[in-house]
Amino acid sequence: MKYKTQIEAARKGIFTKEMEYVATNENINRELLIKEVSNGRLIIPGNKNHKNIRPVAIGELSSTKVNVNIGISKDCPDKDVELKKVKKAIELNVDSIMDLSCWGDTRDFRQNLVEVSPCMIGSVPMYDMIGNSGKALKDLTKDDFLKCVKDHAIDGIDFMTIHAGLNKKTAQRVKRNRRLTNIVSRGGSLLFAWMEMTGNENPFYEFYEEFLDVLYEYDVTISLGDGCRPGSIHDATDASQLEELITLGELTKRAWAKNVQVMVEGPGHIPLNEVKTNMIIAKKLLFNAPFYVLGPLVTDIAPGYDHITSAIGGAIAASSGADFLCYVTPAEHLRLPDEDDMIEGIMATKIAAHAGDVARKFPGAIEKDNNMSKARAELDWEKMISLSINPEKSYKYRQSAKPDKEDTCTMCGEMCAVKNMNKILSGEEVKIS
Amino acid sequence: MKYKTQIEAARKGIFTKEMEYVATNENINRELLIKEVSNGRLIIPGNKNHKNIRPVAIGELSSTKVNVNIGISKDCPDKDVELKKVKKAIELNVDSIMDLSCWGDTRDFRQNLVEVSPCMIGSVPMYDMIGNSGKALKDLTKDDFLKCVKDHAIDGIDFMTIHAGLNKKTAQRVKRNRRLTNIVSRGGSLLFAWMEMTGNENPFYEFYEEFLDVLYEYDVTISLGDGCRPGSIHDATDASQLEELITLGELTKRAWAKNVQVMVEGPGHIPLNEVKTNMIIAKKLLFNAPFYVLGPLVTDIAPGYDHITSAIGGAIAASSGADFLCYVTPAEHLRLPDEDDMIEGIMATKIAAHAGDVARKFPGAIEKDNNMSKARAELDWEKMISLSINPEKSYKYRQSAKPDKEDTCTMCGEMCAVKNMNKILSGEEVKIS
């Protein structure tokens, strides 16, 4: 094999079978694709040990992708519950699944997950390590960090969140520029605590190259975590967030220099009027590396509806630079999501991704809307249902309320504008009985 | 009485008790308020026969308002079902309720509704007239239109949708510039059909002044309907829509000249990247009259989730010019909404309105987010629930999943970033067992 990673292959002019798959499946021009992979603006995550993966591209050249989080934990230790959710998520055509497991037999779960999933799998090795090491947090060493990343790589994880940007300097910045909600990233807060307790530098930052070597070996994409992502509208776009972003840009270049594929994670909670600004500045400071955002949530006041607050921010983000959206469910800020929450979260995030693609005139996006609109103009209810983002839900709604006139719906009944326009435009009389 | 309408009072320098209420309740400067009411940029709808109304302002100077639609129809003739929804909507603090009734004893229902509602009540008299006249559509005369508007005015309706902008000239424009989804406004399509069948001009347009005289008498706000609102992403911002908008601007000025309060209705389906443009052009062509939008929906592919597609468009609209959002429910395009759909629609629209207010830095808006964020930073779960947009839902979620450690939630358990940051920042050790 003349290459270990997709970016290395692209730089050597090799058009891999993964690129082939993506070029065909996502209808991307081959030359453009290889160019974009080689300069890091497009990634095709895929661990060499994840044998049944269906490669997917993330970056400006491809459609906006959607990720789902699952995982076993002390509060939800049931592997089967989580694997059932995985099955459903795959059925609903998500692009990626992140395993946030942090308690119990995480390795067994992870290996199962990789085995059953054609979607790319991401993880946050640190959660697993901290939850399962048996050591106190402060006693963990760089070798523990490294071993955990290696284990995940061997198990076939396609991309890993590594919070390398939150170093001691930025931790000082956080302490000097106090926030309303401090650090809300789980990984970020644990690293902050670890640095405070040990006095050591963040090992992901200090020994970054060693971690890159492991990732390179398996073609694991590094997903640079944003430990300082804002956890409230108040804290958005502040000094700590931006300083970490600058560091993440530097780390991006270093990963590229080692032929490791990179994406970068972004906020978080951002007021609507700052979302686009955040995307522009991130793309600039990250040299157009693929940008992966959580939300952003455009208000803090709606727990129970954060799939909606996120869809608003996510759609604007996707229209202005974000390439990959992490789903947020109605359970956010309240509890672990159950399967229904997951479905709601997936749908809301898919809507945001698609609305963003339509807005940025991504090829093929608006055609989906046009097909639906044609079906509506023809009052073709079967087609409307089959073209809808969740045919099961549309069908259920339609079935639940039988209209007096079958070609209409109970919303307008015989005052149906579509029906009456079709009549009058073809010269028929419009009658309302 | 020296005045009939709020705008007339303001122009005479009279500070009415309704202005007083609004100034206090919405914390608006008195001088600015009277100035904005006099120039039409702020309205305070309130029919003189709606005795128990709690006045509310709509316009740039006030927070973004939210409307809910209800009504009896052939497919849902049960008055009690609709009145139960009304009660719930009032409980959820909506600003306005539109009665779209078009079948059955609509007058009795309408009078009941006005009697029980402290919220302003809107209606579309034409639906009622067409559904209940006993005449064929083509046999309806200008006098039928006028009588129906008068009846609604007498019954205490605070604002009425009148589709005066879709005249014969614009109907020709619609025929010359064919759309994917023609005219989707119920009122617009019926007027279009009526004009086609009778050969007459739209009576709301032709006899506009006579309608204004009726509205003036009761201080009914005219809500100029947009018969040509786009019904698909494809049709957004097209010739028909914009020509009608120009006419609506002219009609706005004519209403102001007669001391009638005005707002104007807007789209509909608009791709995300055109929402702001639509708001700017509407505000310009409408001389900053309050703008009342339905959605806008930023994609057509999500029936079952159109409360979300609308919340995305609505939030952007509210941040860039829209003053009043008509709710859209998950049932849109599929069936009449039931009570659960209504609640989902209200919440999504309230989120959009608030996110817009935060984005445009409306005084007091972000404080709500900050209070929630403070409660989160303090892990004060009771407060988080009470401050949330739907405390009932947040409580239910929280109760449904008891965490291992009581101050955390099952999402992160003992890896709770908030808890661990609070500990480490106060010098305590962070332990993960």
Side-chain angles (χ1 to χ4, degrees), chain A residues 40-182:
Chain A
R41 285 204 291 255
L42 196 79
I43 55 172
I44 307 175
N47 186 311
K48 69 174 190 183
N49 287 347
H50 187 182
K51 301 299 183 191
N52 62 332
I53 194 172
R54 197 175 52 211
V56 158
I58 303 173
E60 196 185 318
L61 210 58
S62 70
S63 62
T64 304
K65 300 302 190 293
V66 168
N67 174 72
V68 162
N69 294 332
I70 51 95
I72 49 171
S73 61
K74 212 175 207 167
D75 285 313
C76 173
D78 193 334
K79 173 179 142 176
D80 293 332
V81 167
E82 290 307 282
L83 285 175
K84 191 167 160 270
K85 279 161 71 179
V86 166
K87 207 180 139 200
K88 185 70 186 174
I90 294 170
E91 214 179 285
L92 294 175
N93 276 317
V94 300
D95 302 294
S96 154
I97 297 170
M98 280 191 84
D99 174 16
L100 306 186
S101 294
C102 61
W103 194 84
D105 195 349
T106 53
R107 185 149 212 180
D108 170 66
F109 179 75
R110 182 165 61 244
Q111 288 169 341
N112 262 246
L113 176 62
V114 170
E115 206 178 296
V116 300
S117 173
C119 298
M120 53 183 164
I121 303 292
S123 74
V124 193
M126 200 173 46
Y127 297 172
D128 181 20
M129 171 190 67
I130 292 173
N132 272 321
S133 68
K135 284 187 186 180
L137 178 62
K138 68 173 164 29
D139 297 332
L140 290 166
T141 66
K142 168 225 166 181
D143 288 338
D144 293 315
F145 282 74
L146 199 60
K147 181 180 178 307
C148 190
V149 167
K150 254 185 212 160
D151 287 347
H152 281 231
I154 291 167
D155 291 343
I157 293 295
D158 304 300
F159 67 91
M160 291 183 204
T161 300
I162 305 272
H163 297 85
L166 178 53
N167 56 21
K168 281 174 88 168
K169 191 168 150 264
T170 299
Q172 288 307 313
R173 183 82 70 188
V174 171
K175 286 200 272 186
R176 275 205 306 281
N177 297 269
R178 288 301 285 273
R179 296 171 135 189
L180 202 49
T181 47
N182 295 313

Side-chain angles (χ1 to χ4, degrees), chain B residues 262-281:
Chain B
V262 188
M263 64 179 151
V264 181
E265 299 180 12
H269 295 234
I270 310 180
L272 190 147
N273 57 310
E274 292 177 17
V275 174
K276 190 175 172 184
T277 302
N278 266 270
M279 297 308 122
I280 292 171
I281 203 161

Side-chain angles (χ1 to χ4, degrees), chain B residues 230-332:
Chain B
S232 55
I233 296 299
H234 178 274
D235 293 346
T237 330
D238 77 344
S240 306
Q241 183 198 328
L242 292 182
E243 179 173 78
E244 187 188 30
L245 191 63
I246 293 170
T247 307
L248 295 175
E250 293 172 351
L251 294 170
T252 296
K253 281 201 162 173
R254 285 169 63 188
W256 283 342
K258 288 213 135 186
N259 283 326
V260 171
Q261 298 193 94
V262 188
M263 64 179 151
V264 181
E265 299 180 12
H269 295 234
I270 310 180
L272 190 147
N273 57 310
E274 292 177 17
V275 174
K276 190 175 172 184
T277 302
N278 266 270
M279 297 308 122
I280 292 171
I281 203 161
K283 281 288 182 162
K284 197 88 189 181
L285 290 172
L286 303 172
F287 313 100
N288 295 305
F291 197 41
Y292 174 28
V293 301
L294 176 64
L297 286 65
V298 294
T299 172
D300 304 325
I301 67 166
Y305 299 90
D306 277 329
H307 59 313
I308 298 179
T309 66
S310 291
I312 297 171
I316 301 170
S319 76
S320 54
D323 307 290
F324 189 19
L325 304 181
C326 183
Y327 94 151
V328 173
T329 80
E332 187 75 16

